Amino acid sequence: DSAVGAFRTAADLDSGFALAHYQLSNAMLWSARGSWESVIDESRAAVRQERRLGPRARLLVEGYEAFRSGRIDDAERVYRRIAESYPDDVEGAYQYGDLLFHGNGLRGRAFTESRAAFERVLATEPAHLGALLHLVRVSIAEGRRAEADSLIARATRVAPPSVGVELSALHAFALGDTAEQERAVERLRSQPDEVVRVAATRV
């Protein structure tokens, strides 16, 4: 939430600050602040100012806007170019994985195709929570129980408490037994509604 306010202030101070608009869109998406239209509007504001960016940042902005606007194939082409041209770019690799994870179902492709991109993120940034959380679900879908256990343990060490509750519920219902499921539900009873909703959706 504090990131939303900071990026909004930056964009207000300099409307041509492309990366402020880009990160404001990203922060609104992650914090569920603002409408979907506002997320898209800020991504497009970043693209309008992309002439002020270098080549790598311009690709990030273009790929993100295409993704959030629903042009999944266009976004994939951009993110693949980032992966080929800038193999050390953690953000590009993460966004590529996110695109494949959330966008592939719309195209009749498996979300597990995102594995390689998230593994590339973790090779550079082993505690990247977003990549860990996505890979947990990929490993569960692929039936890799031991890997899922390991990833959940790694994610729990770096996650805020609310995400830890979500991870314990995910583990219980995907990999655990009835007793563990009952414990997970009991933990959720004391959580805010949004934490319960997210945990239930992801389970």
Side-chain angles (χ1 to χ4, degrees):
D1 287 349
S2 60
V4 172
F7 287 127
R8 192 181 303 282
T9 298
D12 289 344
L13 288 170
D14 180 359
S15 61
F17 189 177
L19 293 181
H21 292 288
Y22 168 69
Q23 293 291 23
L24 175 56
S25 177
N26 218 347
M28 287 192 300
L29 181 71
W30 272 93
S31 64
R33 295 265 304 274
S35 65
W36 186 252
E37 289 74 18
S38 64
V39 168
I40 295 172
D41 288 347
E42 290 299 333
S43 73
R44 290 176 177 164
V47 169
R48 287 195 296 273
Q49 303 299 329
E50 68 174 9
R51 65 188 179 281
R52 300 177 65 178
L53 300 175
R56 184 191 302 216
R58 190 175 300 128
L59 287 172
L60 284 171
V61 164
E62 290 173 355
Y64 181 83
E65 186 275 330
F67 181 14
R68 298 309 169 199
S69 296
R71 301 192 320 278
I72 305 299
D73 291 340
D74 292 341
E76 183 173 9
R77 280 190 287 273
V78 174
Y79 286 131
R80 190 181 300 120
R81 185 173 165 196
I82 294 172
E84 292 167 354
S85 302
Y86 307 101
D88 62 335
D89 192 304
V90 169
E91 185 169 3
Y94 177 77
Q95 294 288 1
Y96 189 16
D98 201 45
L99 173 81
L100 297 175
F101 187 96
H102 295 287
N104 270 5
L106 302 171
R107 304 182 291 173
R109 289 166 51 184
F111 75 92
T112 54
E113 286 182 28
S114 62
R115 170 181 283 280
F118 291 129
E119 287 177 339
R120 185 179 305 132
V121 172
L122 293 178
T124 304
E125 193 175 321
H128 191 293
L129 183 58
L132 287 167
L133 293 175
H134 284 81
L135 265 180
V136 163
R137 302 200 287 281
V138 169
S139 64
I140 290 170
E142 292 177 335
R144 302 186 188 197
R145 183 186 180 105
E147 180 184 66
D149 280 335
S150 174
L151 288 166
I152 287 171
R154 287 172 62 185
T156 300
R157 286 195 291 271
V158 298
S162 62
V163 176
V165 172
E166 173 196 324
L167 285 167
S168 63
L170 186 61
H171 186 275
F173 284 92
L175 306 169
D177 55 24
T178 303
E180 186 181 356
Q181 291 169 10
E182 290 173 356
R183 288 193 297 272
V185 170
E186 194 56 38
R187 287 187 72 189
L188 284 168
R189 290 188 195 283
S190 63
Q191 297 299 311
D193 288 352
E194 181 63 9
V195 173
V196 177
R197 183 193 69 80
V198 170
T201 300
R202 291 182 175 162
V203 167

